[in-house]
Amino acid sequence: QPYTEKFNLSFNAEDLKYKNSSIKDFYFIAYTHNNKLYAGLGGSSVKPNKNFYLENLNLGGEIKKDNVNFNLIWNNFKDSANYAADISGTVVIHKKENNKYRYKCTFSNSELTLNDILWKFDNAAVNIDSSHINISDFRIIHNNEEVYIDGNISKYQGDILYAKFKNLNISNFKPLISDNIRLTGKLSGFSTFAGLYSSPLVFTKDSIIDLNINNMRSEEHTSELQSH
């Protein structure tokens, strides 16, 4: 139903804590305007747990009937590496015949910065209901590097999630690797995943061009892996 009644709510807290989670300079606002409900929340530092945090996080949304237009922003600074996001999209809520709900999230003109590297994605969709998750045409790009994900995640063994990698610069993963290892090269290939709810089955076929590990160079390295 349209939001015909006027509504205005705001809440602020200098330090908000719950179990292992904490938010500094927390705020929440909600108000109605032109038959729409607007809401926003965030904080200067959001820590879901002790090992992960987001700085200057803001989540805003415009709600009308079964549609939610949202924008999620955060901006972290860790030494010289920048971690930030500007993610926009729409969530449509469908009520099924069994009174359960299905959610369709479509992303648009979104950006994600990891370790000072800007990745962009657009027109990707994620469908979620009580029995499965469907990811459709999720393509994230940086220059000529690309990660593509498409498929389903569910308890049904026949559902498969497909991932494809193109020209991925391995040095992008340097923050995850020991400082004693100097690693460069370009990763291309694909992976398929099945049974992720119970007994995961993974098959990968990848190739790395110009692999260099601590100045030991290989023009091309190809690998296949199947595990369960």
Side-chain angles (χ1 to χ4, degrees):
Q1 297 294 327
Y3 297 94
T4 55
E5 298 294 330
K6 289 187 177 181
F7 175 79
N8 196 317
L9 174 68
S10 64
F11 174 76
N12 296 273
E14 184 176 345
D15 200 353
L16 189 65
K17 294 183 178 181
Y18 178 73
K19 294 184 177 179
N20 292 325
S21 304
S22 66
I23 305 176
K24 289 190 175 182
D25 302 316
F26 173 80
Y27 76 89
F28 172 79
I29 59 171
Y31 62 93
T32 55
H33 182 67
N34 291 337
N35 295 330
K36 294 180 181 179
L37 174 65
Y38 297 85
L41 59 86
S44 62
S45 178
V46 179
K47 295 183 178 180
N49 55 57
K50 295 180 179 179
N51 301 317
F52 180 74
Y53 74 97
L54 299 171
E55 290 186 346
N56 303 316
L57 182 141
N58 298 278
L59 173 62
E62 172 193 292
I63 306 168
K64 187 174 183 180
K65 294 184 178 179
D66 297 328
N67 285 36
V68 180
N69 297 318
F70 70 90
N71 179 239
L72 173 64
I73 299 174
W74 76 78
N75 196 346
N76 278 8
F77 296 93
K78 183 179 180 182
D79 298 326
S80 61
N82 182 245
Y83 298 83
D86 188 347
I87 300 173
S88 298
T90 301
V91 177
V92 181
I93 305 171
H94 298 276
K95 190 174 183 179
K96 298 162 64 175
E97 293 182 356
N98 57 4
N99 287 326
K100 293 185 178 181
Y101 290 90
R102 177 167 61 90
Y103 305 89
K104 180 178 181 180
C105 179
T106 305
F107 297 97
S108 58
N109 297 322
S110 298
E111 298 181 350
L112 183 64
T113 301
L114 300 172
N115 195 32
D116 273 336
I117 298 169
L118 176 64
W119 298 87
K120 295 183 178 182
F121 56 100
D122 191 12
N123 294 325
V126 179
N127 291 277
I128 302 173
D129 64 19
S130 58
S131 60
H132 88 292
I133 299 172
N134 168 261
I135 301 174
S136 176
D137 200 30
F138 183 85
R139 192 185 309 270
I140 185 166
I141 297 172
H142 166 70
N143 294 335
N144 68 336
E145 300 177 62
E146 180 180 311
V147 178
Y148 175 80
I149 300 174
D150 191 278
N152 295 287
I153 303 172
S154 76
K155 295 181 180 179
Y156 175 54
Q157 292 292 330
D159 277 341
I160 293 175
L161 185 68
Y162 174 80
K164 183 179 179 180
F165 316 99
K166 181 181 177 182
N167 295 324
L168 273 188
N169 193 333
I170 297 177
S171 63
N172 293 346
F173 305 101
K174 187 176 179 180
L176 305 177
I177 303 171
S178 170
D179 293 336
N180 297 323
I181 300 176
R182 297 186 300 277
L183 187 64
T184 61
K186 296 282 189 177
L187 171 66
S188 296
F190 67 88
S191 299
T192 56
F193 306 87
L196 293 178
Y197 269 64
S198 53
S199 301
L201 176 65
V202 182
F203 175 79
T204 67
K205 184 175 182 179
D206 305 306
S207 64
I208 303 175
I209 299 175
D210 292 332
L211 176 63
N212 190 313
I213 303 175
N214 290 346
N215 297 324
M216 296 177 60
R217 185 173 180 273
S218 172
E219 290 187 359
E220 184 169 357
H221 174 78
T222 303
S223 65
E224 293 189 19
L225 170 66
Q226 183 171 345
S227 64
H228 57 81

mmCIF file of all heavy atoms in Angstrom, residues 82-103:
data_model
loop_
_atom_site.group_PDB
_atom_site.id
_atom_site.type_symbol
_atom_site.label_atom_id
_atom_site.label_comp_id
_atom_site.label_asym_id
_atom_site.label_seq_id
_atom_site.Cartn_x
_atom_site.Cartn_y
_atom_site.Cartn_z
ATOM 1 N N ASN A 82 43.229 1.187 -1.123
ATOM 2 C CA ASN A 82 41.884 1.721 -0.963
ATOM 3 C C ASN A 82 40.846 0.625 -1.169
ATOM 4 O O ASN A 82 40.892 -0.107 -2.146
ATOM 5 C CB ASN A 82 41.665 2.845 -1.978
ATOM 6 C CG ASN A 82 40.300 3.482 -1.831
ATOM 7 O OD1 ASN A 82 39.484 3.390 -2.719
ATOM 8 N ND2 ASN A 82 40.071 4.111 -0.695
ATOM 9 N N TYR A 83 39.909 0.530 -0.226
ATOM 10 C CA TYR A 83 38.812 -0.422 -0.320
ATOM 11 C C TYR A 83 37.518 0.376 -0.233
ATOM 12 O O TYR A 83 37.257 1.031 0.780
ATOM 13 C CB TYR A 83 38.867 -1.447 0.813
ATOM 14 C CG TYR A 83 40.126 -2.287 0.801
ATOM 15 C CD1 TYR A 83 41.304 -1.816 1.366
ATOM 16 C CD2 TYR A 83 40.130 -3.547 0.207
ATOM 17 C CE1 TYR A 83 42.461 -2.574 1.347
ATOM 18 C CE2 TYR A 83 41.283 -4.308 0.185
ATOM 19 C CZ TYR A 83 42.446 -3.816 0.758
ATOM 20 O OH TYR A 83 43.590 -4.570 0.739
ATOM 21 N N ALA A 84 36.738 0.344 -1.298
ATOM 22 C CA ALA A 84 35.543 1.182 -1.332
ATOM 23 C C ALA A 84 34.479 0.513 -2.182
ATOM 24 O O ALA A 84 34.745 -0.449 -2.914
ATOM 25 C CB ALA A 84 35.880 2.562 -1.898
ATOM 26 N N ALA A 85 33.251 1.027 -2.097
ATOM 27 C CA ALA A 85 32.162 0.496 -2.906
ATOM 28 C C ALA A 85 31.107 1.557 -3.123
ATOM 29 O O ALA A 85 30.895 2.434 -2.281
ATOM 30 C CB ALA A 85 31.546 -0.732 -2.250
ATOM 31 N N ASP A 86 30.461 1.483 -4.266
ATOM 32 C CA ASP A 86 29.287 2.289 -4.583
ATOM 33 C C ASP A 86 28.363 1.365 -5.375
ATOM 34 O O ASP A 86 28.487 1.226 -6.590
ATOM 35 C CB ASP A 86 29.676 3.517 -5.401
ATOM 36 C CG ASP A 86 28.506 4.476 -5.586
ATOM 37 O OD1 ASP A 86 27.363 4.073 -5.299
ATOM 38 O OD2 ASP A 86 28.734 5.622 -6.015
ATOM 39 N N ILE A 87 27.471 0.692 -4.658
ATOM 40 C CA ILE A 87 26.647 -0.371 -5.238
ATOM 41 C C ILE A 87 25.186 0.069 -5.229
ATOM 42 O O ILE A 87 24.635 0.410 -4.184
ATOM 43 C CB ILE A 87 26.817 -1.683 -4.443
ATOM 44 C CG1 ILE A 87 28.292 -2.118 -4.466
ATOM 45 C CG2 ILE A 87 25.926 -2.777 -5.017
ATOM 46 C CD1 ILE A 87 28.592 -3.293 -3.569
ATOM 47 N N SER A 88 24.566 0.045 -6.402
ATOM 48 C CA SER A 88 23.169 0.455 -6.536
ATOM 49 C C SER A 88 22.365 -0.659 -7.179
ATOM 50 O O SER A 88 22.900 -1.478 -7.930
ATOM 51 C CB SER A 88 23.059 1.722 -7.388
ATOM 52 O OG SER A 88 23.728 2.808 -6.788
ATOM 53 N N GLY A 89 21.082 -0.649 -6.896
ATOM 54 C CA GLY A 89 20.235 -1.658 -7.508
ATOM 55 C C GLY A 89 18.803 -1.578 -7.023
ATOM 56 O O GLY A 89 18.413 -0.649 -6.311
ATOM 57 N N THR A 90 18.045 -2.580 -7.417
ATOM 58 C CA THR A 90 16.630 -2.668 -7.062
ATOM 59 C C THR A 90 16.316 -4.065 -6.555
ATOM 60 O O THR A 90 16.759 -5.050 -7.146
ATOM 61 C CB THR A 90 15.736 -2.359 -8.283
ATOM 62 O OG1 THR A 90 16.024 -1.049 -8.756
ATOM 63 C CG2 THR A 90 14.261 -2.445 -7.915
ATOM 64 N N VAL A 91 15.567 -4.144 -5.471
ATOM 65 C CA VAL A 91 15.078 -5.417 -4.949
ATOM 66 C C VAL A 91 13.563 -5.457 -5.137
ATOM 67 O O VAL A 91 12.851 -4.549 -4.704
ATOM 68 C CB VAL A 91 15.425 -5.599 -3.461
ATOM 69 C CG1 VAL A 91 14.828 -6.905 -2.938
ATOM 70 C CG2 VAL A 91 16.929 -5.588 -3.255
ATOM 71 N N VAL A 92 13.087 -6.489 -5.829
ATOM 72 C CA VAL A 92 11.654 -6.691 -6.022
ATOM 73 C C VAL A 92 11.228 -7.903 -5.200
ATOM 74 O O VAL A 92 11.842 -8.971 -5.292
ATOM 75 C CB VAL A 92 11.309 -6.910 -7.511
ATOM 76 C CG1 VAL A 92 9.809 -7.099 -7.683
ATOM 77 C CG2 VAL A 92 11.796 -5.733 -8.345
ATOM 78 N N ILE A 93 10.184 -7.746 -4.409
ATOM 79 C CA ILE A 93 9.714 -8.800 -3.513
ATOM 80 C C ILE A 93 8.437 -9.407 -4.074
ATOM 81 O O ILE A 93 7.454 -8.700 -4.318
ATOM 82 C CB ILE A 93 9.463 -8.245 -2.096
ATOM 83 C CG1 ILE A 93 10.730 -7.559 -1.565
ATOM 84 C CG2 ILE A 93 9.014 -9.356 -1.155
ATOM 85 C CD1 ILE A 93 10.518 -6.794 -0.282
ATOM 86 N N HIS A 94 8.456 -10.732 -4.313
ATOM 87 C CA HIS A 94 7.283 -11.447 -4.819
ATOM 88 C C HIS A 94 6.798 -12.419 -3.751
ATOM 89 O O HIS A 94 7.589 -13.168 -3.188
ATOM 90 C CB HIS A 94 7.629 -12.241 -6.082
ATOM 91 C CG HIS A 94 8.086 -11.399 -7.224
ATOM 92 N ND1 HIS A 94 7.217 -10.774 -8.094
ATOM 93 C CD2 HIS A 94 9.330 -11.078 -7.655
ATOM 94 C CE1 HIS A 94 7.902 -10.108 -9.007
ATOM 95 N NE2 HIS A 94 9.191 -10.271 -8.767
ATOM 96 N N LYS A 95 5.500 -12.412 -3.519
ATOM 97 C CA LYS A 95 4.898 -13.376 -2.609
ATOM 98 C C LYS A 95 4.389 -14.563 -3.412
ATOM 99 O O LYS A 95 3.571 -14.411 -4.325
ATOM 100 C CB LYS A 95 3.757 -12.744 -1.818
ATOM 101 C CG LYS A 95 3.242 -13.633 -0.685
ATOM 102 C CD LYS A 95 2.220 -12.896 0.163
ATOM 103 C CE LYS A 95 1.759 -13.759 1.340
ATOM 104 N NZ LYS A 95 0.766 -13.043 2.196
ATOM 105 N N LYS A 96 4.884 -15.758 -3.083
ATOM 106 C CA LYS A 96 4.525 -16.956 -3.827
ATOM 107 C C LYS A 96 3.205 -17.537 -3.307
ATOM 108 O O LYS A 96 2.684 -17.116 -2.269
ATOM 109 C CB LYS A 96 5.661 -17.980 -3.722
ATOM 110 C CG LYS A 96 6.971 -17.461 -4.322
ATOM 111 C CD LYS A 96 8.168 -18.245 -3.855
ATOM 112 C CE LYS A 96 8.127 -19.676 -4.303
ATOM 113 N NZ LYS A 96 9.374 -20.403 -3.938
ATOM 114 N N GLU A 97 2.672 -18.531 -4.032
ATOM 115 C CA GLU A 97 1.389 -19.127 -3.659
ATOM 116 C C GLU A 97 1.435 -19.808 -2.295
ATOM 117 O O GLU A 97 0.418 -19.921 -1.624
ATOM 118 C CB GLU A 97 0.954 -20.133 -4.732
ATOM 119 C CG GLU A 97 0.624 -19.481 -6.071
ATOM 120 C CD GLU A 97 0.157 -20.487 -7.099
ATOM 121 O OE1 GLU A 97 0.173 -21.697 -6.775
ATOM 122 O OE2 GLU A 97 -0.225 -20.078 -8.213
ATOM 123 N N ASN A 98 2.618 -20.276 -1.888
ATOM 124 C CA ASN A 98 2.742 -20.937 -0.586
ATOM 125 C C ASN A 98 3.033 -19.940 0.537
ATOM 126 O O ASN A 98 3.466 -20.330 1.620
ATOM 127 C CB ASN A 98 3.833 -22.002 -0.633
ATOM 128 C CG ASN A 98 5.191 -21.420 -1.056
ATOM 129 O OD1 ASN A 98 5.332 -20.211 -1.236
ATOM 130 N ND2 ASN A 98 6.176 -22.279 -1.206
ATOM 131 N N ASN A 99 2.805 -18.666 0.260
ATOM 132 C CA ASN A 99 3.005 -17.560 1.214
ATOM 133 C C ASN A 99 4.468 -17.322 1.566
ATOM 134 O O ASN A 99 4.764 -16.565 2.482
ATOM 135 C CB ASN A 99 2.206 -17.798 2.514
ATOM 136 C CG ASN A 99 0.713 -17.598 2.292
ATOM 137 O OD1 ASN A 99 0.304 -16.757 1.489
ATOM 138 N ND2 ASN A 99 -0.099 -18.375 2.983
ATOM 139 N N LYS A 100 5.376 -17.976 0.860
ATOM 140 C CA LYS A 100 6.791 -17.674 1.020
ATOM 141 C C LYS A 100 7.194 -16.610 0.012
ATOM 142 O O LYS A 100 6.477 -16.359 -0.960
ATOM 143 C CB LYS A 100 7.633 -18.939 0.845
ATOM 144 C CG LYS A 100 7.399 -19.957 1.956
ATOM 145 C CD LYS A 100 8.336 -21.146 1.826
ATOM 146 C CE LYS A 100 8.121 -22.126 2.966
ATOM 147 N NZ LYS A 100 9.040 -23.294 2.874
ATOM 148 N N TYR A 101 8.343 -15.999 0.236
ATOM 149 C CA TYR A 101 8.724 -14.847 -0.575
ATOM 150 C C TYR A 101 9.926 -15.172 -1.462
ATOM 151 O O TYR A 101 10.787 -15.983 -1.118
ATOM 152 C CB TYR A 101 9.058 -13.656 0.320
ATOM 153 C CG TYR A 101 7.851 -13.066 1.006
ATOM 154 C CD1 TYR A 101 7.439 -13.521 2.252
ATOM 155 C CD2 TYR A 101 7.107 -12.061 0.394
ATOM 156 C CE1 TYR A 101 6.321 -12.992 2.882
ATOM 157 C CE2 TYR A 101 5.999 -11.519 1.008
ATOM 158 C CZ TYR A 101 5.612 -11.982 2.251
ATOM 159 O OH TYR A 101 4.511 -11.452 2.865
ATOM 160 N N ARG A 102 9.954 -14.513 -2.610
ATOM 161 C CA ARG A 102 11.090 -14.588 -3.519
ATOM 162 C C ARG A 102 11.600 -13.170 -3.737
ATOM 163 O O ARG A 102 10.810 -12.239 -3.921
ATOM 164 C CB ARG A 102 10.688 -15.213 -4.853
ATOM 165 C CG ARG A 102 11.810 -15.248 -5.877
ATOM 166 C CD ARG A 102 11.437 -16.147 -7.048
ATOM 167 N NE ARG A 102 10.249 -15.665 -7.736
ATOM 168 C CZ ARG A 102 10.285 -14.804 -8.766
ATOM 169 N NH1 ARG A 102 11.433 -14.314 -9.179
ATOM 170 N NH2 ARG A 102 9.169 -14.439 -9.349
ATOM 171 N N TYR A 103 12.920 -13.015 -3.694
ATOM 172 C CA TYR A 103 13.531 -11.707 -3.817
ATOM 173 C C TYR A 103 14.401 -11.667 -5.069
ATOM 174 O O TYR A 103 15.250 -12.542 -5.276
ATOM 175 C CB TYR A 103 14.394 -11.404 -2.592
ATOM 176 C CG TYR A 103 13.654 -11.525 -1.281
ATOM 177 C CD1 TYR A 103 13.597 -12.744 -0.599
ATOM 178 C CD2 TYR A 103 12.998 -10.436 -0.724
ATOM 179 C CE1 TYR A 103 12.909 -12.868 0.592
ATOM 180 C CE2 TYR A 103 12.316 -10.549 0.472
ATOM 181 C CZ TYR A 103 12.268 -11.766 1.124
ATOM 182 O OH TYR A 103 11.589 -11.884 2.305
#
